[in-house]
Amino acid sequence: MATRPEEGDPGEGELDQGVEFDAFYAATAKRLVATVYAMTGDLAEAEDAVQEAYVRAWQRWDRLTRDGDPLPWVRTVASRLAISTWRRTRNRVRAHFRHGPGADVPELSADRVALVEALRELPPQQRQVVVLHHLLDLPLEQVAQEAGASNGAVRTRLSRARKVLGERLTDTAAFRTEGAANHG
């Protein structure tokens, strides 16, 4: 005789969804945090945005998995949350830089610092397409879909961003080379 689960007890389907969601999270969370961090330059904000995006994904898990791969949806939500937070908290980020990172933060390589600084100088829309296309190797069509822009707009944003990044990163490399030559 079959019994119905008592109210509040998860049914078998809910357990399967939980296992499926846990596996999805384990497979995608680290890379998604890295992606959002590359867009925002703030690890704490990236982690918060990604956590909130996964919470929202779990609330819609049936629909997201029925519609196909949930990762683009989660990435888009996390990116939008992070960018919104970033806009509201510019003063907090500036204060962080005035006081410096805490003692428990490991040192970053000069190249990584230069890249993060150069990405921060880009407008959010350009930064988003650079991260999605170059760091995640997504095709232009998928970048356009996630950015809510046409393929042509994505190409334009990428072109402008590459120009700025090329100038900033070349200047940084030249500065380090000159500094080593003058002080070595």
Side-chain angles (χ1 to χ4, degrees), residues 73-98:
W73 186 91
V74 175
R75 186 171 39 238
T76 299
V77 170
S79 299
R80 288 179 180 166
L81 286 168
I83 289 169
S84 294
T85 301
W86 179 76
R87 287 178 181 155
R88 289 190 310 265
T89 60
R90 284 183 186 156
N91 290 335
R92 187 172 6 139
V93 172
R94 289 179 182 146
H96 173 75
F97 285 110
R98 276 195 304 268

mmCIF file with all atom_site columns, all heavy atoms in Angstrom, residues 73-98:
data_model
loop_
_atom_site.group_PDB
_atom_site.id
_atom_site.type_symbol
_atom_site.label_atom_id
_atom_site.label_alt_id
_atom_site.label_comp_id
_atom_site.label_asym_id
_atom_site.label_entity_id
_atom_site.label_seq_id
_atom_site.pdbx_PDB_ins_code
_atom_site.Cartn_x
_atom_site.Cartn_y
_atom_site.Cartn_z
_atom_site.occupancy
_atom_site.B_iso_or_equiv
_atom_site.pdbx_formal_charge
_atom_site.auth_seq_id
_atom_site.auth_comp_id
_atom_site.auth_asym_id
_atom_site.auth_atom_id
_atom_site.pdbx_PDB_model_num
ATOM 1   N N   . TRP A 1 73 ? 21.185 31.285 -17.832 1.00 0.00 ? 73 TRP A N   1
ATOM 2   C CA  . TRP A 1 73 ? 20.245 32.065 -17.029 1.00 0.00 ? 73 TRP A CA  1
ATOM 3   C C   . TRP A 1 73 ? 20.896 32.469 -15.707 1.00 0.00 ? 73 TRP A C   1
ATOM 4   O O   . TRP A 1 73 ? 20.829 33.632 -15.309 1.00 0.00 ? 73 TRP A O   1
ATOM 5   C CB  . TRP A 1 73 ? 18.972 31.245 -16.771 1.00 0.00 ? 73 TRP A CB  1
ATOM 6   C CG  . TRP A 1 73 ? 17.895 32.017 -16.072 1.00 0.00 ? 73 TRP A CG  1
ATOM 7   C CD1 . TRP A 1 73 ? 16.898 32.747 -16.653 1.00 0.00 ? 73 TRP A CD1 1
ATOM 8   C CD2 . TRP A 1 73 ? 17.725 32.167 -14.650 1.00 0.00 ? 73 TRP A CD2 1
ATOM 9   N NE1 . TRP A 1 73 ? 16.112 33.327 -15.676 1.00 0.00 ? 73 TRP A NE1 1
ATOM 10  C CE2 . TRP A 1 73 ? 16.597 32.985 -14.442 1.00 0.00 ? 73 TRP A CE2 1
ATOM 11  C CE3 . TRP A 1 73 ? 18.405 31.685 -13.543 1.00 0.00 ? 73 TRP A CE3 1
ATOM 12  C CZ2 . TRP A 1 73 ? 16.136 33.334 -13.173 1.00 0.00 ? 73 TRP A CZ2 1
ATOM 13  C CZ3 . TRP A 1 73 ? 17.953 32.025 -12.270 1.00 0.00 ? 73 TRP A CZ3 1
ATOM 14  C CH2 . TRP A 1 73 ? 16.832 32.833 -12.100 1.00 0.00 ? 73 TRP A CH2 1
ATOM 15  N N   . VAL A 1 74 ? 21.538 31.527 -15.035 1.00 0.00 ? 74 VAL A N   1
ATOM 16  C CA  . VAL A 1 74 ? 22.175 31.808 -13.742 1.00 0.00 ? 74 VAL A CA  1
ATOM 17  C C   . VAL A 1 74 ? 23.290 32.826 -13.936 1.00 0.00 ? 74 VAL A C   1
ATOM 18  O O   . VAL A 1 74 ? 23.440 33.765 -13.151 1.00 0.00 ? 74 VAL A O   1
ATOM 19  C CB  . VAL A 1 74 ? 22.711 30.510 -13.094 1.00 0.00 ? 74 VAL A CB  1
ATOM 20  C CG1 . VAL A 1 74 ? 23.482 30.813 -11.821 1.00 0.00 ? 74 VAL A CG1 1
ATOM 21  C CG2 . VAL A 1 74 ? 21.573 29.546 -12.800 1.00 0.00 ? 74 VAL A CG2 1
ATOM 22  N N   . ARG A 1 75 ? 24.086 32.680 -15.005 1.00 0.00 ? 75 ARG A N   1
ATOM 23  C CA  . ARG A 1 75 ? 25.182 33.608 -15.263 1.00 0.00 ? 75 ARG A CA  1
ATOM 24  C C   . ARG A 1 75 ? 24.647 35.013 -15.525 1.00 0.00 ? 75 ARG A C   1
ATOM 25  O O   . ARG A 1 75 ? 25.189 35.999 -15.024 1.00 0.00 ? 75 ARG A O   1
ATOM 26  C CB  . ARG A 1 75 ? 26.016 33.108 -16.445 1.00 0.00 ? 75 ARG A CB  1
ATOM 27  C CG  . ARG A 1 75 ? 27.253 33.936 -16.690 1.00 0.00 ? 75 ARG A CG  1
ATOM 28  C CD  . ARG A 1 75 ? 28.199 33.343 -17.712 1.00 0.00 ? 75 ARG A CD  1
ATOM 29  N NE  . ARG A 1 75 ? 27.563 32.721 -18.837 1.00 0.00 ? 75 ARG A NE  1
ATOM 30  C CZ  . ARG A 1 75 ? 27.754 31.441 -19.174 1.00 0.00 ? 75 ARG A CZ  1
ATOM 31  N NH1 . ARG A 1 75 ? 28.546 30.663 -18.485 1.00 0.00 ? 75 ARG A NH1 1
ATOM 32  N NH2 . ARG A 1 75 ? 27.142 30.931 -20.227 1.00 0.00 ? 75 ARG A NH2 1
ATOM 33  N N   . THR A 1 76 ? 23.570 35.125 -16.285 1.00 0.00 ? 76 THR A N   1
ATOM 34  C CA  . THR A 1 76 ? 22.979 36.422 -16.583 1.00 0.00 ? 76 THR A CA  1
ATOM 35  C C   . THR A 1 76 ? 22.449 37.076 -15.308 1.00 0.00 ? 76 THR A C   1
ATOM 36  O O   . THR A 1 76 ? 22.698 38.267 -15.058 1.00 0.00 ? 76 THR A O   1
ATOM 37  C CB  . THR A 1 76 ? 21.842 36.276 -17.619 1.00 0.00 ? 76 THR A CB  1
ATOM 38  O OG1 . THR A 1 76 ? 22.393 35.739 -18.822 1.00 0.00 ? 76 THR A OG1 1
ATOM 39  C CG2 . THR A 1 76 ? 21.183 37.608 -17.908 1.00 0.00 ? 76 THR A CG2 1
ATOM 40  N N   . VAL A 1 77 ? 21.750 36.317 -14.486 1.00 0.00 ? 77 VAL A N   1
ATOM 41  C CA  . VAL A 1 77 ? 21.222 36.865 -13.232 1.00 0.00 ? 77 VAL A CA  1
ATOM 42  C C   . VAL A 1 77 ? 22.366 37.306 -12.323 1.00 0.00 ? 77 VAL A C   1
ATOM 43  O O   . VAL A 1 77 ? 22.337 38.407 -11.765 1.00 0.00 ? 77 VAL A O   1
ATOM 44  C CB  . VAL A 1 77 ? 20.309 35.832 -12.523 1.00 0.00 ? 77 VAL A CB  1
ATOM 45  C CG1 . VAL A 1 77 ? 19.963 36.284 -11.114 1.00 0.00 ? 77 VAL A CG1 1
ATOM 46  C CG2 . VAL A 1 77 ? 19.041 35.618 -13.332 1.00 0.00 ? 77 VAL A CG2 1
ATOM 47  N N   . ALA A 1 78 ? 23.379 36.476 -12.186 1.00 0.00 ? 78 ALA A N   1
ATOM 48  C CA  . ALA A 1 78 ? 24.522 36.826 -11.330 1.00 0.00 ? 78 ALA A CA  1
ATOM 49  C C   . ALA A 1 78 ? 25.218 38.083 -11.838 1.00 0.00 ? 78 ALA A C   1
ATOM 50  O O   . ALA A 1 78 ? 25.573 38.972 -11.054 1.00 0.00 ? 78 ALA A O   1
ATOM 51  C CB  . ALA A 1 78 ? 25.501 35.659 -11.259 1.00 0.00 ? 78 ALA A CB  1
ATOM 52  N N   . SER A 1 79 ? 25.395 38.179 -13.136 1.00 0.00 ? 79 SER A N   1
ATOM 53  C CA  . SER A 1 79 ? 26.052 39.357 -13.719 1.00 0.00 ? 79 SER A CA  1
ATOM 54  C C   . SER A 1 79 ? 25.240 40.613 -13.472 1.00 0.00 ? 79 SER A C   1
ATOM 55  O O   . SER A 1 79 ? 25.788 41.649 -13.074 1.00 0.00 ? 79 SER A O   1
ATOM 56  C CB  . SER A 1 79 ? 26.236 39.174 -15.229 1.00 0.00 ? 79 SER A CB  1
ATOM 57  O OG  . SER A 1 79 ? 27.051 38.072 -15.487 1.00 0.00 ? 79 SER A OG  1
ATOM 58  N N   . ARG A 1 80 ? 23.957 40.537 -13.679 1.00 0.00 ? 80 ARG A N   1
ATOM 59  C CA  . ARG A 1 80 ? 23.105 41.713 -13.480 1.00 0.00 ? 80 ARG A CA  1
ATOM 60  C C   . ARG A 1 80 ? 23.051 42.119 -12.010 1.00 0.00 ? 80 ARG A C   1
ATOM 61  O O   . ARG A 1 80 ? 23.074 43.312 -11.691 1.00 0.00 ? 80 ARG A O   1
ATOM 62  C CB  . ARG A 1 80 ? 21.709 41.444 -14.030 1.00 0.00 ? 80 ARG A CB  1
ATOM 63  C CG  . ARG A 1 80 ? 21.693 41.418 -15.541 1.00 0.00 ? 80 ARG A CG  1
ATOM 64  C CD  . ARG A 1 80 ? 20.336 41.136 -16.101 1.00 0.00 ? 80 ARG A CD  1
ATOM 65  N NE  . ARG A 1 80 ? 20.392 41.132 -17.559 1.00 0.00 ? 80 ARG A NE  1
ATOM 66  C CZ  . ARG A 1 80 ? 19.446 40.658 -18.343 1.00 0.00 ? 80 ARG A CZ  1
ATOM 67  N NH1 . ARG A 1 80 ? 18.360 40.143 -17.814 1.00 0.00 ? 80 ARG A NH1 1
ATOM 68  N NH2 . ARG A 1 80 ? 19.588 40.698 -19.645 1.00 0.00 ? 80 ARG A NH2 1
ATOM 69  N N   . LEU A 1 81 ? 22.980 41.143 -11.122 1.00 0.00 ? 81 LEU A N   1
ATOM 70  C CA  . LEU A 1 81 ? 22.984 41.455 -9.692  1.00 0.00 ? 81 LEU A CA  1
ATOM 71  C C   . LEU A 1 81 ? 24.290 42.132 -9.296  1.00 0.00 ? 81 LEU A C   1
ATOM 72  O O   . LEU A 1 81 ? 24.296 43.123 -8.563  1.00 0.00 ? 81 LEU A O   1
ATOM 73  C CB  . LEU A 1 81 ? 22.798 40.181 -8.868  1.00 0.00 ? 81 LEU A CB  1
ATOM 74  C CG  . LEU A 1 81 ? 21.396 39.577 -8.853  1.00 0.00 ? 81 LEU A CG  1
ATOM 75  C CD1 . LEU A 1 81 ? 21.432 38.178 -8.246  1.00 0.00 ? 81 LEU A CD1 1
ATOM 76  C CD2 . LEU A 1 81 ? 20.432 40.476 -8.086  1.00 0.00 ? 81 LEU A CD2 1
ATOM 77  N N   . ALA A 1 82 ? 25.388 41.595 -9.781  1.00 0.00 ? 82 ALA A N   1
ATOM 78  C CA  . ALA A 1 82 ? 26.701 42.146 -9.427  1.00 0.00 ? 82 ALA A CA  1
ATOM 79  C C   . ALA A 1 82 ? 26.867 43.558 -9.967  1.00 0.00 ? 82 ALA A C   1
ATOM 80  O O   . ALA A 1 82 ? 27.370 44.434 -9.261  1.00 0.00 ? 82 ALA A O   1
ATOM 81  C CB  . ALA A 1 82 ? 27.806 41.245 -9.956  1.00 0.00 ? 82 ALA A CB  1
ATOM 82  N N   . ILE A 1 83 ? 26.462 43.781 -11.186 1.00 0.00 ? 83 ILE A N   1
ATOM 83  C CA  . ILE A 1 83 ? 26.611 45.107 -11.784 1.00 0.00 ? 83 ILE A CA  1
ATOM 84  C C   . ILE A 1 83 ? 25.723 46.112 -11.056 1.00 0.00 ? 83 ILE A C   1
ATOM 85  O O   . ILE A 1 83 ? 26.151 47.233 -10.769 1.00 0.00 ? 83 ILE A O   1
ATOM 86  C CB  . ILE A 1 83 ? 26.330 45.063 -13.298 1.00 0.00 ? 83 ILE A CB  1
ATOM 87  C CG1 . ILE A 1 83 ? 27.483 44.324 -13.990 1.00 0.00 ? 83 ILE A CG1 1
ATOM 88  C CG2 . ILE A 1 83 ? 26.159 46.462 -13.868 1.00 0.00 ? 83 ILE A CG2 1
ATOM 89  C CD1 . ILE A 1 83 ? 27.229 43.968 -15.436 1.00 0.00 ? 83 ILE A CD1 1
ATOM 90  N N   . SER A 1 84 ? 24.509 45.717 -10.694 1.00 0.00 ? 84 SER A N   1
ATOM 91  C CA  . SER A 1 84 ? 23.627 46.617 -9.943  1.00 0.00 ? 84 SER A CA  1
ATOM 92  C C   . SER A 1 84 ? 24.234 46.957 -8.597  1.00 0.00 ? 84 SER A C   1
ATOM 93  O O   . SER A 1 84 ? 24.234 48.116 -8.175  1.00 0.00 ? 84 SER A O   1
ATOM 94  C CB  . SER A 1 84 ? 22.256 45.971 -9.738  1.00 0.00 ? 84 SER A CB  1
ATOM 95  O OG  . SER A 1 84 ? 21.602 45.820 -10.960 1.00 0.00 ? 84 SER A OG  1
ATOM 96  N N   . THR A 1 85 ? 24.749 45.954 -7.923  1.00 0.00 ? 85 THR A N   1
ATOM 97  C CA  . THR A 1 85 ? 25.381 46.182 -6.623  1.00 0.00 ? 85 THR A CA  1
ATOM 98  C C   . THR A 1 85 ? 26.614 47.047 -6.787  1.00 0.00 ? 85 THR A C   1
ATOM 99  O O   . THR A 1 85 ? 26.860 47.959 -5.993  1.00 0.00 ? 85 THR A O   1
ATOM 100 C CB  . THR A 1 85 ? 25.756 44.837 -5.974  1.00 0.00 ? 85 THR A CB  1
ATOM 101 O OG1 . THR A 1 85 ? 24.562 44.074 -5.827  1.00 0.00 ? 85 THR A OG1 1
ATOM 102 C CG2 . THR A 1 85 ? 26.407 45.037 -4.627  1.00 0.00 ? 85 THR A CG2 1
ATOM 103 N N   . TRP A 1 86 ? 27.382 46.762 -7.821  1.00 0.00 ? 86 TRP A N   1
ATOM 104 C CA  . TRP A 1 86 ? 28.600 47.524 -8.078  1.00 0.00 ? 86 TRP A CA  1
ATOM 105 C C   . TRP A 1 86 ? 28.274 49.003 -8.269  1.00 0.00 ? 86 TRP A C   1
ATOM 106 O O   . TRP A 1 86 ? 28.954 49.865 -7.718  1.00 0.00 ? 86 TRP A O   1
ATOM 107 C CB  . TRP A 1 86 ? 29.304 46.960 -9.302  1.00 0.00 ? 86 TRP A CB  1
ATOM 108 C CG  . TRP A 1 86 ? 30.545 47.682 -9.679  1.00 0.00 ? 86 TRP A CG  1
ATOM 109 C CD1 . TRP A 1 86 ? 31.761 47.610 -9.070  1.00 0.00 ? 86 TRP A CD1 1
ATOM 110 C CD2 . TRP A 1 86 ? 30.703 48.601 -10.758 1.00 0.00 ? 86 TRP A CD2 1
ATOM 111 N NE1 . TRP A 1 86 ? 32.662 48.421 -9.703  1.00 0.00 ? 86 TRP A NE1 1
ATOM 112 C CE2 . TRP A 1 86 ? 32.032 49.052 -10.751 1.00 0.00 ? 86 TRP A CE2 1
ATOM 113 C CE3 . TRP A 1 86 ? 29.837 49.100 -11.731 1.00 0.00 ? 86 TRP A CE3 1
ATOM 114 C CZ2 . TRP A 1 86 ? 32.517 49.953 -11.671 1.00 0.00 ? 86 TRP A CZ2 1
ATOM 115 C CZ3 . TRP A 1 86 ? 30.324 49.994 -12.661 1.00 0.00 ? 86 TRP A CZ3 1
ATOM 116 C CH2 . TRP A 1 86 ? 31.657 50.409 -12.611 1.00 0.00 ? 86 TRP A CH2 1
ATOM 117 N N   . ARG A 1 87 ? 27.240 49.286 -8.982  1.00 0.00 ? 87 ARG A N   1
ATOM 118 C CA  . ARG A 1 87 ? 26.869 50.693 -9.207  1.00 0.00 ? 87 ARG A CA  1
ATOM 119 C C   . ARG A 1 87 ? 26.480 51.374 -7.896  1.00 0.00 ? 87 ARG A C   1
ATOM 120 O O   . ARG A 1 87 ? 26.795 52.541 -7.680  1.00 0.00 ? 87 ARG A O   1
ATOM 121 C CB  . ARG A 1 87 ? 25.707 50.767 -10.191 1.00 0.00 ? 87 ARG A CB  1
ATOM 122 C CG  . ARG A 1 87 ? 26.127 50.465 -11.613 1.00 0.00 ? 87 ARG A CG  1
ATOM 123 C CD  . ARG A 1 87 ? 24.943 50.492 -12.542 1.00 0.00 ? 87 ARG A CD  1
ATOM 124 N NE  . ARG A 1 87 ? 25.366 50.164 -13.898 1.00 0.00 ? 87 ARG A NE  1
ATOM 125 C CZ  . ARG A 1 87 ? 24.580 49.646 -14.810 1.00 0.00 ? 87 ARG A CZ  1
ATOM 126 N NH1 . ARG A 1 87 ? 23.319 49.399 -14.535 1.00 0.00 ? 87 ARG A NH1 1
ATOM 127 N NH2 . ARG A 1 87 ? 25.036 49.378 -16.011 1.00 0.00 ? 87 ARG A NH2 1
ATOM 128 N N   . ARG A 1 88 ? 25.773 50.648 -7.022  1.00 0.00 ? 88 ARG A N   1
ATOM 129 C CA  . ARG A 1 88 ? 25.317 51.244 -5.762  1.00 0.00 ? 88 ARG A CA  1
ATOM 130 C C   . ARG A 1 88 ? 26.443 51.374 -4.746  1.00 0.00 ? 88 ARG A C   1
ATOM 131 O O   . ARG A 1 88 ? 26.333 52.135 -3.796  1.00 0.00 ? 88 ARG A O   1
ATOM 132 C CB  . ARG A 1 88 ? 24.192 50.405 -5.162  1.00 0.00 ? 88 ARG A CB  1
ATOM 133 C CG  . ARG A 1 88 ? 22.879 50.495 -5.916  1.00 0.00 ? 88 ARG A CG  1
ATOM 134 C CD  . ARG A 1 88 ? 21.755 49.835 -5.140  1.00 0.00 ? 88 ARG A CD  1
ATOM 135 N NE  . ARG A 1 88 ? 22.063 48.491 -4.667  1.00 0.00 ? 88 ARG A NE  1
ATOM 136 C CZ  . ARG A 1 88 ? 21.742 47.371 -5.308  1.00 0.00 ? 88 ARG A CZ  1
ATOM 137 N NH1 . ARG A 1 88 ? 21.122 47.433 -6.449  1.00 0.00 ? 88 ARG A NH1 1
ATOM 138 N NH2 . ARG A 1 88 ? 22.057 46.209 -4.801  1.00 0.00 ? 88 ARG A NH2 1
ATOM 139 N N   . THR A 1 89 ? 27.499 50.603 -4.890  1.00 0.00 ? 89 THR A N   1
ATOM 140 C CA  . THR A 1 89 ? 28.522 50.564 -3.833  1.00 0.00 ? 89 THR A CA  1
ATOM 141 C C   . THR A 1 89 ? 29.886 51.071 -4.278  1.00 0.00 ? 89 THR A C   1
ATOM 142 O O   . THR A 1 89 ? 30.909 50.660 -3.738  1.00 0.00 ? 89 THR A O   1
ATOM 143 C CB  . THR A 1 89 ? 28.671 49.132 -3.302  1.00 0.00 ? 89 THR A CB  1
ATOM 144 O OG1 . THR A 1 89 ? 29.057 48.291 -4.374  1.00 0.00 ? 89 THR A OG1 1
ATOM 145 C CG2 . THR A 1 89 ? 27.411 48.640 -2.667  1.00 0.00 ? 89 THR A CG2 1
ATOM 146 N N   . ARG A 1 90 ? 29.921 51.976 -5.212  1.00 0.00 ? 90 ARG A N   1
ATOM 147 C CA  . ARG A 1 90 ? 31.205 52.521 -5.661  1.00 0.00 ? 90 ARG A CA  1
ATOM 148 C C   . ARG A 1 90 ? 31.996 53.126 -4.505  1.00 0.00 ? 90 ARG A C   1
ATOM 149 O O   . ARG A 1 90 ? 33.214 52.977 -4.422  1.00 0.00 ? 90 ARG A O   1
ATOM 150 C CB  . ARG A 1 90 ? 30.989 53.584 -6.737  1.00 0.00 ? 90 ARG A CB  1
ATOM 151 C CG  . ARG A 1 90 ? 30.644 53.008 -8.072  1.00 0.00 ? 90 ARG A CG  1
ATOM 152 C CD  . ARG A 1 90 ? 30.516 54.093 -9.107  1.00 0.00 ? 90 ARG A CD  1
ATOM 153 N NE  . ARG A 1 90 ? 30.041 53.479 -10.338 1.00 0.00 ? 90 ARG A NE  1
ATOM 154 C CZ  . ARG A 1 90 ? 29.410 54.132 -11.270 1.00 0.00 ? 90 ARG A CZ  1
ATOM 155 N NH1 . ARG A 1 90 ? 29.181 55.418 -11.160 1.00 0.00 ? 90 ARG A NH1 1
ATOM 156 N NH2 . ARG A 1 90 ? 29.017 53.499 -12.360 1.00 0.00 ? 90 ARG A NH2 1
ATOM 157 N N   . ASN A 1 91 ? 31.314 53.803 -3.611  1.00 0.00 ? 91 ASN A N   1
ATOM 158 C CA  . ASN A 1 91 ? 32.007 54.420 -2.479  1.00 0.00 ? 91 ASN A CA  1
ATOM 159 C C   . ASN A 1 91 ? 32.638 53.373 -1.571  1.00 0.00 ? 91 ASN A C   1
ATOM 160 O O   . ASN A 1 91 ? 33.739 53.589 -1.043  1.00 0.00 ? 91 ASN A O   1
ATOM 161 C CB  . ASN A 1 91 ? 31.060 55.313 -1.669  1.00 0.00 ? 91 ASN A CB  1
ATOM 162 C CG  . ASN A 1 91 ? 30.689 56.553 -2.440  1.00 0.00 ? 91 ASN A CG  1
ATOM 163 O OD1 . ASN A 1 91 ? 31.430 56.997 -3.313  1.00 0.00 ? 91 ASN A OD1 1
ATOM 164 N ND2 . ASN A 1 91 ? 29.532 57.123 -2.127  1.00 0.00 ? 91 ASN A ND2 1
ATOM 165 N N   . ARG A 1 92 ? 31.980 52.252 -1.373  1.00 0.00 ? 92 ARG A N   1
ATOM 166 C CA  . ARG A 1 92 ? 32.544 51.198 -0.537  1.00 0.00 ? 92 ARG A CA  1
ATOM 167 C C   . ARG A 1 92 ? 33.808 50.631 -1.177  1.00 0.00 ? 92 ARG A C   1
ATOM 168 O O   . ARG A 1 92 ? 34.799 50.372 -0.499  1.00 0.00 ? 92 ARG A O   1
ATOM 169 C CB  . ARG A 1 92 ? 31.519 50.091 -0.326  1.00 0.00 ? 92 ARG A CB  1
ATOM 170 C CG  . ARG A 1 92 ? 31.987 49.057 0.655   1.00 0.00 ? 92 ARG A CG  1
ATOM 171 C CD  . ARG A 1 92 ? 30.947 48.046 1.056   1.00 0.00 ? 92 ARG A CD  1
ATOM 172 N NE  . ARG A 1 92 ? 29.695 48.122 0.359   1.00 0.00 ? 92 ARG A NE  1
ATOM 173 C CZ  . ARG A 1 92 ? 29.009 47.068 -0.052  1.00 0.00 ? 92 ARG A CZ  1
ATOM 174 N NH1 . ARG A 1 92 ? 29.455 45.869 0.172   1.00 0.00 ? 92 ARG A NH1 1
ATOM 175 N NH2 . ARG A 1 92 ? 27.853 47.205 -0.677  1.00 0.00 ? 92 ARG A NH2 1
ATOM 176 N N   . VAL A 1 93 ? 33.808 50.469 -2.479  1.00 0.00 ? 93 VAL A N   1
ATOM 177 C CA  . VAL A 1 93 ? 34.988 49.962 -3.177  1.00 0.00 ? 93 VAL A CA  1
ATOM 178 C C   . VAL A 1 93 ? 36.130 50.966 -3.067  1.00 0.00 ? 93 VAL A C   1
ATOM 179 O O   . VAL A 1 93 ? 37.278 50.593 -2.803  1.00 0.00 ? 93 VAL A O   1
ATOM 180 C CB  . VAL A 1 93 ? 34.660 49.660 -4.662  1.00 0.00 ? 93 VAL A CB  1
ATOM 181 C CG1 . VAL A 1 93 ? 35.898 49.334 -5.448  1.00 0.00 ? 93 VAL A CG1 1
ATOM 182 C CG2 . VAL A 1 93 ? 33.650 48.528 -4.750  1.00 0.00 ? 93 VAL A CG2 1
ATOM 183 N N   . ARG A 1 94 ? 35.821 52.238 -3.220  1.00 0.00 ? 94 ARG A N   1
ATOM 184 C CA  . ARG A 1 94 ? 36.860 53.264 -3.096  1.00 0.00 ? 94 ARG A CA  1
ATOM 185 C C   . ARG A 1 94 ? 37.462 53.261 -1.696  1.00 0.00 ? 94 ARG A C   1
ATOM 186 O O   . ARG A 1 94 ? 38.673 53.412 -1.526  1.00 0.00 ? 94 ARG A O   1
ATOM 187 C CB  . ARG A 1 94 ? 36.289 54.635 -3.432  1.00 0.00 ? 94 ARG A CB  1
ATOM 188 C CG  . ARG A 1 94 ? 36.003 54.794 -4.904  1.00 0.00 ? 94 ARG A CG  1
ATOM 189 C CD  . ARG A 1 94 ? 35.412 56.151 -5.217  1.00 0.00 ? 94 ARG A CD  1
ATOM 190 N NE  . ARG A 1 94 ? 35.110 56.238 -6.627  1.00 0.00 ? 94 ARG A NE  1
ATOM 191 C CZ  . ARG A 1 94 ? 34.092 56.903 -7.126  1.00 0.00 ? 94 ARG A CZ  1
ATOM 192 N NH1 . ARG A 1 94 ? 33.291 57.579 -6.322  1.00 0.00 ? 94 ARG A NH1 1
ATOM 193 N NH2 . ARG A 1 94 ? 33.873 56.922 -8.416  1.00 0.00 ? 94 ARG A NH2 1
ATOM 194 N N   . ALA A 1 95 ? 36.640 53.092 -0.688  1.00 0.00 ? 95 ALA A N   1
ATOM 195 C CA  . ALA A 1 95 ? 37.144 53.041 0.688   1.00 0.00 ? 95 ALA A CA  1
ATOM 196 C C   . ALA A 1 95 ? 38.054 51.825 0.868   1.00 0.00 ? 95 ALA A C   1
ATOM 197 O O   . ALA A 1 95 ? 39.084 51.908 1.543   1.00 0.00 ? 95 ALA A O   1
ATOM 198 C CB  . ALA A 1 95 ? 35.980 52.984 1.676   1.00 0.00 ? 95 ALA A CB  1
ATOM 199 N N   . HIS A 1 96 ? 37.690 50.718 0.262   1.00 0.00 ? 96 HIS A N   1
ATOM 200 C CA  . HIS A 1 96 ? 38.523 49.513 0.343   1.00 0.00 ? 96 HIS A CA  1
ATOM 201 C C   . HIS A 1 96 ? 39.915 49.779 -0.228  1.00 0.00 ? 96 HIS A C   1
ATOM 202 O O   . HIS A 1 96 ? 40.920 49.376 0.352   1.00 0.00 ? 96 HIS A O   1
ATOM 203 C CB  . HIS A 1 96 ? 37.853 48.358 -0.410  1.00 0.00 ? 96 HIS A CB  1
ATOM 204 C CG  . HIS A 1 96 ? 38.690 47.135 -0.516  1.00 0.00 ? 96 HIS A CG  1
ATOM 205 N ND1 . HIS A 1 96 ? 38.906 46.282 0.536   1.00 0.00 ? 96 HIS A ND1 1
ATOM 206 C CD2 . HIS A 1 96 ? 39.389 46.627 -1.560  1.00 0.00 ? 96 HIS A CD2 1
ATOM 207 C CE1 . HIS A 1 96 ? 39.700 45.303 0.154   1.00 0.00 ? 96 HIS A CE1 1
ATOM 208 N NE2 . HIS A 1 96 ? 40.003 45.479 -1.113  1.00 0.00 ? 96 HIS A NE2 1
ATOM 209 N N   . PHE A 1 97 ? 39.974 50.472 -1.320  1.00 0.00 ? 97 PHE A N   1
ATOM 210 C CA  . PHE A 1 97 ? 41.272 50.753 -1.935  1.00 0.00 ? 97 PHE A CA  1
ATOM 211 C C   . PHE A 1 97 ? 42.076 51.779 -1.123  1.00 0.00 ? 97 PHE A C   1
ATOM 212 O O   . PHE A 1 97 ? 43.290 51.715 -1.084  1.00 0.00 ? 97 PHE A O   1
ATOM 213 C CB  . PHE A 1 97 ? 41.108 51.214 -3.382  1.00 0.00 ? 97 PHE A CB  1
ATOM 214 C CG  . PHE A 1 97 ? 40.773 50.084 -4.293  1.00 0.00 ? 97 PHE A CG  1
ATOM 215 C CD1 . PHE A 1 97 ? 39.509 49.990 -4.860  1.00 0.00 ? 97 PHE A CD1 1
ATOM 216 C CD2 . PHE A 1 97 ? 41.688 49.090 -4.562  1.00 0.00 ? 97 PHE A CD2 1
ATOM 217 C CE1 . PHE A 1 97 ? 39.181 48.920 -5.685  1.00 0.00 ? 97 PHE A CE1 1
ATOM 218 C CE2 . PHE A 1 97 ? 41.374 48.029 -5.380  1.00 0.00 ? 97 PHE A CE2 1
ATOM 219 C CZ  . PHE A 1 97 ? 40.118 47.944 -5.940  1.00 0.00 ? 97 PHE A CZ  1
ATOM 220 N N   . ARG A 1 98 ? 41.387 52.701 -0.463  1.00 0.00 ? 98 ARG A N   1
ATOM 221 C CA  . ARG A 1 98 ? 42.100 53.643 0.395   1.00 0.00 ? 98 ARG A CA  1
ATOM 222 C C   . ARG A 1 98 ? 42.771 52.936 1.557   1.00 0.00 ? 98 ARG A C   1
ATOM 223 O O   . ARG A 1 98 ? 43.880 53.268 1.945   1.00 0.00 ? 98 ARG A O   1
ATOM 224 C CB  . ARG A 1 98 ? 41.138 54.703 0.941   1.00 0.00 ? 98 ARG A CB  1
ATOM 225 C CG  . ARG A 1 98 ? 40.902 55.871 0.016   1.00 0.00 ? 98 ARG A CG  1
ATOM 226 C CD  . ARG A 1 98 ? 40.247 57.021 0.760   1.00 0.00 ? 98 ARG A CD  1
ATOM 227 N NE  . ARG A 1 98 ? 39.012 56.639 1.420   1.00 0.00 ? 98 ARG A NE  1
ATOM 228 C CZ  . ARG A 1 98 ? 37.793 56.731 0.883   1.00 0.00 ? 98 ARG A CZ  1
ATOM 229 N NH1 . ARG A 1 98 ? 37.657 57.179 -0.345  1.00 0.00 ? 98 ARG A NH1 1
ATOM 230 N NH2 . ARG A 1 98 ? 36.724 56.376 1.564   1.00 0.00 ? 98 ARG A NH2 1
#
